Every structure is written in structure tokens, then in C-alpha cells.
Amino acid sequence: MPALASHRKPRTRVRTTAPAIGLTTAALASVTLLSTQSAVAAPDPKPSVEDVQKKVDDLYRQAGTATQRYNQAKEASATQRAKVDALLDDVAKRADKLNDARRTLGTYAAAQYRSGSIAPSATFFLADDPQSYFDQSQLMDRMTSRQQKAITDFRTQQAKAAKKRAEAVRSLETLTTTQATLRTSKQDVQTKLGEARTLLSKLTAEEKARLAEIERKKEAEAKRKAQELAKQQAAAKAEADRKAEEAAKESGSGSGTGTGTGSDSGATTKAEQVLAFARAQIGKPYVWGATGPASYDCSGLTQAAWKAAGVDIPRTTWDQVGIGTRVATADLRPGDLVFFYDDISHVGIYKGDGMMIHAPKPGANVREESIYYMPIYGSVRPA
């Protein structure tokens, strides 16, 4: 009999996928590790020359703002120091007067002791708090009018001396706070300038050349705008002169040339003196906090120039912008002050034709430059 075939299905072998899973995990881990290493190893992108220029300009502007804070704190510190010294002198004088009044009281006390009537009045004279005895009518009856005046003088001097001492203490506290602000502002200036120097030191020779080219283009554009303003001002002046001449002819008063008020003449003379002084400073270095004569910061130069014309103006740009008369850019005259940036951290002296004389920034000298080199905030005519 032939053997029967088996009807059982052959056993199939199932392959495990564990090795594949392990391989995939390892591969992913390797990719992640490589990606992480690449990210860590990738250096920060180097800023462009244009970015460096913008950053440096911004740092110089911030340093200019910090310089004005320094100037403000320095001026306030000097004013407060003078006030404290005066108060301390006053306190010393009042202490002398108080001691004189105390000696007078001691003389009366000694006289009463010798006369045998020391009991209540001597206690009154020598007490630390004479007020507690002053209201006692029995004691007042025993005093002469001269003694009563001595008591009144003593109490008056004592109260004034105490008031002045308290005022001196408050002024000393204010001085301490102002000096702390002065130190902070000084450090802020030095930090900003240090950051700017660091950025510039990292530039290659080629990058420095490109930066210089950017500066030249910026200066050229600023000069072009200055020339446009000069043309506009010249045209406006010619038109004003023409109208003045026509008005003079109609009124029969002559050509109208050579006329002008005494006030205008005086203002012109002052402006000429301001510009003469400013021109004489060209070439001197910018130094933050300096007021001359060897070096200047921006507001130090403007203050010194107007002082040379006999006009005292404040020390900082923030105070200078609030004096005199506000003037539109189109109406600028020589000697006017032109302020820059939204924070009013820079100022120059208008010389005409869209140009100014100013102390620009650390590392630069006092020079002539277009008023359009920086964003204009506004202008004033001090006198």
C-alpha cells in the first residue's frame, strides 16, 4: 500500500525584525550626533562691513549721550559742592553766634550765683532745654529785660543753627548721589568707546578700506544736500532783497541797501565772533567732557564759542536746545546751533551754505562738515 501524503502545512519560519530596529536606532543616533557636532562647530557668521559701520556709529552716538549725562552730572556736582561749602561755612558762623549767646547766658548765671539768687534762673540759663523753663512766669519775673533778650537770642540762634545743619546734611546726601551718577556716566562712556574700538580692530585691511569708502560716499551725499540748502538759501535771500528794494522804491526811501535794525547788527557781530572762535579751534581733538582750550566735546565747543561772543549758554546739549529761538533748517544763519539725533546727543555751529563746525567724536578733530552728515533734530539761535 502506498504511503499517504502528509496534509500538514509546512512550518514557516518568521524572521525577527529586532536587528533592523537596532540598526535604524543606531543610524538615527549617528545622524543626530553628527548634526549636533556640526552645529557646535559652525562659527558665528562674521558681520558685514556695513553692519560694523552701523554698530560703530550707534556706539559713538550712545557714547555721546553718556557724555552729555557725564557733563550734566559734573556740572551738578560742582554746583552742589559750592552749595555744601557755603552751608558748612554758614553752620560754622552760626555755631560761633550760638556759643556767644551761650557765654552771655553763662555770664548772667555767674552773676546770679554771686548775688545768691542762683536757684531757679541759673538752672534756666544752663539747662539743655531752656524752653521748659521759659513758660514759667515766676522765673520770667526775676529776669531783667536784657536777660530775657539774651534768652531769646540764644533760642533763635539755636533754631537757625539746627536748621542749617539739617540743610547741610541733605545737600551732602545730594552731592553723594550726583557723584555716583558722575562715576556711572564716565564708566558708560568708556565702555561704549571700548566696544567701538574692539569692533574696528577686528576688521582686515580690505574691510577697513571698504569702510572708508562707505564713509566717503556718506560724506559726499551729505555735501550734496548741503549744496542744495545753500542754493535754496541764496535764492530766498535774493528774493527777500528784491522785495525789500521794491518796497523801498515805492516808499521813496531809496534803494533799501545798508539798512537794518541795531538788533540785527548786534546779532551779526556776535555770530561773526562765534565763528571766528570756532574756526580757530579746527584741528583740535575731540575729548569727551572737555571744554577747552586744548580739546573739546561737541557742547563744550559750542559753549566756549558763544562765551567768546559774550553770551553764556548752558553746558549740555539738552539744556542748550532750550535757549534762544527755535529756527527751521531753511532759515539757518551763521552762528546758529544745530542739534542731532532724537536724543539730542550732538550739536554743531552753523557756518553757512549747509555746513557747520563741530567736535565730531572720539578719534576725530574739530572740523567743518555738512549738517546732513547726521540726522537733524532741530536748531536754535542763542542770541
Side-chain angles (χ1 to χ4, degrees):
M1 176 182 286
L4 296 174
S6 176
H7 294 285
R8 288 185 297 176
K9 293 182 179 179
R11 186 180 294 176
T12 57
R13 293 185 180 184
V14 179
R15 291 185 179 180
T16 177
T17 58
I21 293 175
L23 179 61
T24 303
T25 303
L28 287 173
S30 299
V31 171
T32 302
L33 179 60
L34 289 173
S35 299
T36 304
Q37 289 176 340
S38 298
V40 172
D44 293 333
K46 186 174 182 179
S48 66
V49 174
E50 290 77 11
D51 289 339
V52 170
Q53 189 233 9
K54 290 178 181 178
K55 181 64 175 176
V56 169
D57 284 349
D58 189 53
L59 285 169
Y60 278 137
R61 184 191 60 75
Q62 292 178 37
T65 303
T67 297
Q68 295 307 313
R69 282 198 297 267
Y70 172 84
N71 293 339
Q72 189 178 55
K74 185 177 181 181
E75 188 174 51
S77 180
T79 301
Q80 195 64 28
R81 167 55 68 185
K83 183 178 180 180
V84 167
D85 289 344
L87 283 171
L88 291 177
D89 288 343
D90 197 307
V91 167
K93 292 176 182 177
R94 292 187 183 281
D96 289 340
K97 291 181 179 179
L98 184 62
N99 290 332
D100 289 342
R102 192 183 297 275
R103 280 191 289 271
T104 300
L105 292 179
T107 301
Y108 288 137
Q112 284 201 353
Y113 176 79
R114 287 191 295 271
S115 65
S117 57
I118 187 62
S121 56
T123 303
F124 175 84
F125 291 140
L126 301 177
D128 291 334
D129 183 18
Q131 179 61 40
S132 60
Y133 290 88
F134 186 78
D135 295 331
Q136 299 178 18
S137 59
Q138 181 181 358
L139 182 60
M140 291 299 295
D141 291 341
R142 301 184 57 171
M143 295 181 185
T144 65
S145 60
R146 181 177 296 179
Q147 289 172 329
Q148 291 179 22
K149 183 178 183 303
I151 292 295
T152 301
D153 289 346
F154 176 80
R155 292 176 59 236
T156 300
Q157 295 301 331
Q158 190 178 44
K160 288 182 178 179
K163 181 179 179 181
K164 285 297 179 181
R165 278 195 298 270
E167 189 176 348
V169 169
R170 289 193 298 271
S171 292
L172 282 170
E173 291 173 350
T174 301
L175 178 61
T176 301
T177 301
T178 303
Q179 289 175 334
T181 302
L182 186 65
R183 288 190 295 270
T184 301
S185 299
K186 182 177 181 179
Q187 183 60 46
D188 196 15
V189 173
Q190 293 171 335
T191 298
K192 299 301 181 185
L193 294 180
E195 290 177 13
R197 284 192 294 267
T198 299
L199 278 173
L200 293 173
S201 68
K202 292 179 179 179
L203 295 176
T204 64
E206 181 182 351
E207 288 171 333
K208 289 179 180 178
R210 285 173 55 199
L211 183 62
E213 180 61 26
I214 292 173
E215 284 293 320
R216 281 193 291 271
K217 289 181 178 179
K218 181 179 177 181
E219 290 173 2
E221 177 61 15
K223 286 181 179 179
R224 184 189 66 79
K225 291 182 177 180
Q227 290 169 355
E228 288 181 359
L229 176 62
K231 290 178 182 178
Q232 293 171 7
Q233 290 180 328
K237 184 177 184 304
E239 179 64 14
D241 290 345
R242 184 186 65 79
K243 289 181 178 180
E245 186 173 354
E246 288 180 354
K249 287 179 179 179
E250 290 177 1
S251 63
S253 59
S255 65
T257 58
T259 63
T261 65
S263 175
D264 288 341
S265 176
T268 300
T269 300
K270 285 185 172 62
E272 290 171 350
Q273 293 172 337
V274 168
L275 286 175
F277 179 91
R279 289 191 185 98
Q281 313 314 309
I282 291 176
K284 293 183 179 180
Y286 175 103
V287 174
W288 63 271
T291 57
S295 57
Y296 297 89
D297 65 17
C298 65
S299 56
L301 175 64
T302 53
Q303 183 187 46
W306 270 97
K307 187 172 184 179
V311 178
D312 289 326
I313 66 174
R315 174 66 180 91
T316 69
T317 55
W318 301 327
D319 291 328
Q320 289 179 7
V321 75
I323 65 172
T325 305
R326 292 299 294 266
V327 181
T329 301
D331 299 327
L332 282 169
R333 296 179 188 171
D336 291 347
L337 301 183
V338 186
F339 299 87
F340 302 90
Y341 302 111
D342 289 340
D343 59 1
I344 321 174
S345 56
H346 193 73
V347 62
I349 303 168
Y350 190 68
K351 67 175 289 291
D353 297 330
M355 303 293 287
M356 66 177 171
I357 299 174
H358 70 142
K361 60 186 178 182
N365 296 331
V366 175
R367 66 193 183 201
E368 292 186 9
E369 198 153 48
S370 167
I371 62 172
Y372 292 103
Y373 185 77
M374 294 166 283
I376 297 173
Y377 173 84
S379 307
V380 301
R381 186 165 298 142

